[in-house]
Amino acid sequence: MTADGHGHRGAPVGFDLDMTLIDSRRVILASFAALSDATGVPIDPAAVDRRLGIKLEDELGFWFPAEQVPAAVRVYREHYLRLAGPLTSALPGAREALDAVKAAGARAVVITAKHEIPARLSLDLAGLVPDDLAADAYGPEKAAVLIALGAAVYVGDTPADMAAAAQAGAHAIGVTTGSFTERDLRAAGAQTVLESLTGFPAFYATFTL
């Protein structure tokens, strides 16, 4: 605990990207639809939506044989990069959440299952500037990043995000801007649940470890 009473001062804060900081649902689903059209492989958008947040390779494994996944990844990413511009936006409160962490003298780090190139493009399109980015991380991999950072908080929208925060000993904050409910997030270990990131600055101003 520091002299000003804010135990989080200087400790990094992690944020998930898709459906936590950015609204990427439209571009993700559009890219899967384009992949389906290009390959002739039926892909159920509702099933994809229920699993938003997992690694692309893992999602494609539900639809393609293992040996076809690398090629499907390439086709998907081509469509994603083409479609991202008009279909990516910052979620309400995202900029203010990052700013609140920086104003407290801490680092705001994005930790995402997304590949680095589309992750950086998504941040640029949304006008979001974190202090750092850790890409290609999901589940226990996110926990490892949080532990390495010494993160005080992790903010995400999936049960896997909450489990990663709990595993890393970070305060798990769930936001219901993705595909999961408050009940889902709390069952996975969320200690705080917000309807959106608009509530994050007020929470963070009083948060102590």
Side-chain angles (χ1 to χ4, degrees), residues 121-189:
L121 174 63
S122 298
L123 287 165
D124 289 345
L125 290 169
L128 300 175
V129 185
D131 293 302
D132 207 350
L133 168 68
D136 294 307
Y138 180 71
E141 296 166 341
K142 286 189 175 183
V145 175
L146 290 166
I147 291 169
L149 288 170
V153 174
Y154 188 59
V155 188
D157 64 283
T158 71
D161 291 333
M162 301 301 95
Q167 183 179 344
H171 189 92
I173 300 181
V175 288
T176 55
T177 43
S179 301
F180 298 93
T181 65
E182 177 174 354
R183 178 178 294 181
D184 296 330
L185 297 172
R186 289 197 182 277

Side-chain angles (χ1 to χ4, degrees), residues 5-9 152-153 171 173 202-209:
H6 293 282
H8 62 269
R9 297 288 180 180
V153 174
H171 189 92
I173 300 181
F203 166 84
Y204 189 66
T206 60
F207 171 67
T208 56
L209 294 176

